[in-house]
Amino acid sequence: MPGEGGFVVEDNEVSGEALVLRGEENVAVRIKVEREARGWSTNAVSDRLNEAGYEINPSAVWRIENRKRRVNLDEAIGFAELFGISLENLVGPPRLAAHARAMEIIEDIRRRYREMNLANRAATEARDALDAYLAEHPDLREEADVLVSNAIAEDLMAAMQPPGLLQQGPPAEPEPEPDAPEVGSDR
């Protein structure tokens, strides 16, 4: 069940409550975790951000960490740069975000899913264009449909092959053995 301003991700086995992702809360926790992991004070974080061109005072850092003040986008970018992490990692769930490899894999899945959706949209547009063309040239429909079906089937078969076993061209015919008698011969 969605929570206010977030999405339910998993049940918390300890308390029985649902874990809800909220960007602001995640950022607050993550900033404190990253600062403490480096042994920096709120003054040190403020000084480093100010040197990098992000104006923020130590009190504001403390208030952000303690959820007394919201972080603005420019500040979030500054914190991400300061800690050497992506902005998405900064706003991600702190437990998961602390595992950079997991975040990389999750981002790869998201990117590939977006690419898949774009490819599906492009394929639908191409099929619609072909259907419109074939509506004007119905005598070509049967051949065009067979050609498209065969191309799709070939691509699906290739995608189902284990890596490294993809064939180049049709399989070679086995050569007959030299000593085998020909069918129908008296040899």
Side-chain angles (χ1 to χ4, degrees), residues 1-9 19-23:
M1 171 173 176
E4 182 182 322
F7 300 97
V8 173
V9 174
L19 171 64
V20 178
L21 301 181
R22 291 186 181 91

Side-chain angles (χ1 to χ4, degrees), residues 92-170:
R95 244 186 356 193
L96 186 58
H99 297 273
R101 181 65 183 137
M103 292 301 290
E104 289 171 11
I105 295 168
I106 290 167
E107 182 53 30
D108 188 44
I109 291 168
R110 291 179 65 195
R111 183 176 40 79
R112 291 178 188 274
Y113 186 77
R114 283 190 299 268
E115 290 170 356
M116 181 182 68
N117 284 335
L118 290 172
N120 285 337
R121 186 178 308 140
T124 299
E125 290 171 1
R127 184 63 210 212
D128 290 347
L130 179 62
D131 287 341
Y133 185 85
L134 294 176
E136 296 173 10
H137 305 282
D139 55 313
L140 301 175
R141 178 161 299 277
E142 187 175 333
E143 289 178 68
D145 284 343
V146 167
L147 187 62
V148 168
S149 294
N150 287 345
I152 291 171
E154 287 174 15
D155 286 349
L156 287 173
M157 292 302 290
M160 292 172 53
Q161 293 290 325
L165 293 181
L166 297 178
Q167 296 179 7
Q168 300 294 330

